[in-house]
Amino acid sequence: MKTKCFRQEEIKKAAELIQEGKLVAFPTETVYGLGADATNPEAVKKVYQAKGRPSDNPLIVHVSSIEMVETYATSISPIAYQLMTHFWPGPLTLIFPTHPERPLSKVVTGGLDTVAFRMPDNDITLQLIKESATPLVGPSANTSGKPSPTTAQHVLHDLDGRIDGVIDGGRCQIGIESTVVDMTQQDVITILRPGMITQDQLMEQTNVPVVFDTHLVEKDVAPKAPGMKYQHYSPETPVMMVDGGSHEWDRAIHTFHAQGKKVGLLLNKQSQKELAETSDRYYELSETRDIFQATAHLFDGLRYLDSEGDLDIILVETYPEENEGVGFMNRLKKAANHQWFCMNGEGFDGNVLQ
Ligand code: TXA
Ligand code: MG
């Protein structure tokens, strides 16, 4: 199959492919999604195949209006309307019970009787949904397990020849996937996947308790979002987290050099300038320690450092696990398989969310 790269002016052509049951990747403010008609089970099956995604991992349905949600979901509370009105279009996904008379296929929901919705903040993709006249499933447009794509080039790197098209909308601004919240319980909102919309922002808007799914806080608890249990965001090269200032970084780099290892660095520019050894391959996570910039560059940096395939280890700077840092650290810990550098050079499991 030849994968067509569409320009922004060619949305109509891309929409025709969607209507024919084909797969077209689209840009969003978070990461690129792999689009297919959510009402066409055969098309949705192809999404799982192209990504190599486990079939029990449900997909997010991307909409261009709240009416599209009302068509396929039920029990939408006033609080949920408030969240959709305030945060949409934007990086928030809400989960509702499926509509008893108009359910989307079990292929979309991974066999669950709930379904996830999001309105992406991207004019190209909102237009694509409207032109297609149907909601679109849109898992991140990467091979399952790899870092999510934040450019059309990343999409082609993973899926060229496996999908029908990709619309190039440039670089995604946010860089990690949306915050996913479970809206199926009364009087409590549960965050199943942290993202740029924070716990505090959700509480401010709603005045109801907002909690994290227990598996995000405790070990050995099965996640409620099936996707969170799979290995994720991992480049081929092992990743390790470094928590601390330039002293700790120097020690980490020195330790691996002494073992004859080739090191890649993903940290802020200011700290990189202060390192004792400066010969390692480096990708700028942010200029100063800015969590928004760092989040936008995390997946891109992991892909860049992985691309030559000659590094033994990628060392990544950590951020405080609070507010916007929660989403960043959730992705980084998974990419690093929870390995932190500590003084004796061995990793330990640092998967504790305060
Ligand atoms: O920002 C995003 O959300 C991106 C862009 C493309 O919109 N999409 C994305 O989709 O990240 P995906 O499929 O890679 O992640 C969907 C997550 C998975 O962790 C999945 O298990 C969870 O949402 N999910 C979807 N439907 C669910 C449901 N009914 N119940 C629980 N979790 C659900
Ligand atoms: Mg994904």
Side-chain angles (χ1 to χ4, degrees):
M1 176 192 300
K2 178 125 182 55
T3 302
K4 174 124 186 50
C5 196
F6 293 106
R7 284 170 291 119
Q8 308 189 3
E9 309 79 65
E10 299 175 298
I11 298 174
K12 270 209 166 78
K13 285 190 203 159
E16 281 166 21
L17 292 185
I18 294 283
Q19 287 175 333
E20 290 166 18
K22 296 189 170 153
L23 310 187
V24 180
F26 55 72
T28 82
E29 79 282 31
T30 58
V31 302
Y32 274 72
L34 180 52
D37 179 352
T39 66
N40 178 345
E42 291 311 312
V44 177
K45 273 184 205 158
K46 287 194 273 181
V47 169
Y48 285 91
Q49 281 161 9
K51 278 181 60 85
R53 181 178 174 110
S55 61
D56 66 343
N57 188 3
L59 305 174
I60 295 172
V61 177
H62 293 67
V63 298
S64 57
S65 67
I66 291 179
E67 291 72 47
M68 275 186 176
V69 179
E70 292 164 338
T71 306
Y72 300 105
T74 188
S75 309
I76 306 169
S77 66
I79 287 170
Y81 276 106
Q82 209 172 318
L83 289 177
M84 290 189 284
T85 311
H86 185 78
F87 289 109
W88 281 6
L92 181 68
T93 295
L94 297 93
I95 294 175
F96 300 111
T98 50
H99 198 285
E101 281 120 49
R102 298 183 296 270
L104 283 161
S105 161
K106 292 273 184 202
V107 189
V108 175
T109 63
L112 299 174
D113 47 18
T114 54
V115 56
F117 293 94
R118 162 165 134 76
M119 188 190 293
D121 187 10
N122 183 292
D123 288 342
I124 297 171
T125 296
L126 289 174
Q127 191 60 31
L128 177 71
I129 300 168
K130 284 181 199 150
E131 294 276 356
S132 306
T134 180
L136 304 181
V137 295
S140 48
N142 52 292
T143 304
S144 203
K146 296 287 152 224
S148 297
T150 54
T151 65
Q153 288 68 40
H154 294 162
V155 176
L156 289 170
H157 176 271
D158 282 18
L159 299 176
D160 195 10
R162 301 176 67 83
I163 61 175
D164 300 280
V166 54
I167 308 176
D168 192 344
R171 187 176 289 276
C172 304
Q173 310 93 289
I174 292 180
I176 60 168
E177 307 84 347
S178 60
T179 305
V180 178
V181 292
D182 181 357
M183 300 302 296
T184 62
Q185 290 161 290
Q186 287 267 309
D187 303 326
V188 60
I189 297 169
T190 308
I191 299 177
L192 305 187
R193 179 177 73 182
M196 249 330 148
I197 300 210
T198 63
Q199 182 184 31
D200 281 358
Q201 283 176 288
L202 293 167
M203 279 194 296
E204 258 169 47
Q205 272 308 310
T206 57
N207 278 319
V208 298
V210 178
V211 300
F212 286 99
D213 177 28
T214 43
H215 101 281
L216 292 170
V217 194
E218 290 161 30
K219 280 205 257 167
D220 306 324
V221 179
K224 263 193 91 180
M228 301 296 279
K229 71 174 181 262
Y230 296 108
Q231 205 200 339
H232 254 87
Y233 318 119
S234 309
E236 302 294 327
T237 316
V239 176
M240 194 175 268
M241 298 177 277
V242 181
D243 179 13
S246 56
H247 196 53
E248 189 71 1
W249 273 86
D250 283 337
R251 203 149 35 188
I253 293 165
H254 183 75
T255 302
F256 289 110
H257 282 175
Q259 295 170 8
K261 294 200 163 137
K262 275 188 96 172
V263 179
L265 309 175
L266 194 47
L267 82 159
N268 74 78
K269 193 175 175 182
Q270 210 64 39
S271 303
Q272 194 263 351
K273 280 189 186 156
E274 290 165 15
L275 295 177
E277 299 176 49
T278 54
S279 59
D280 295 291
R281 195 166 320 145
Y282 163 69
Y283 186 93
E284 185 181 307
L285 199 52
S286 69
E287 242 177 279
T288 52
R289 267 174 65 80
D290 176 78
I291 186 63
F292 294 96
Q293 280 186 15
T295 304
H297 295 144
L298 176 64
F299 290 148
D300 194 26
L302 289 174
R303 280 179 176 265
Y304 168 77
L305 291 170
D306 202 34
S307 60
E308 304 270 317
D310 61 340
L311 296 178
D312 296 300
I313 186 116
I314 299 171
L315 301 177
V316 189
E317 164 180 50
T318 59
Y319 279 76
E321 222 162 339
E322 56 196 27
N323 304 321
E324 288 81 11
V326 177
F328 175 91
M329 287 304 293
N330 172 271
R331 305 315 191 277
L332 175 55
K333 281 179 178 177
K334 286 178 175 231
N337 205 8
H338 302 282
Q339 297 298 303
W340 302 67
F341 176 80
C342 60
M343 278 195 339
N344 59 8
E346 286 169 356
F348 66 91
D349 186 352
N351 185 24
V352 182
L353 206 157
Q354 281 93 19

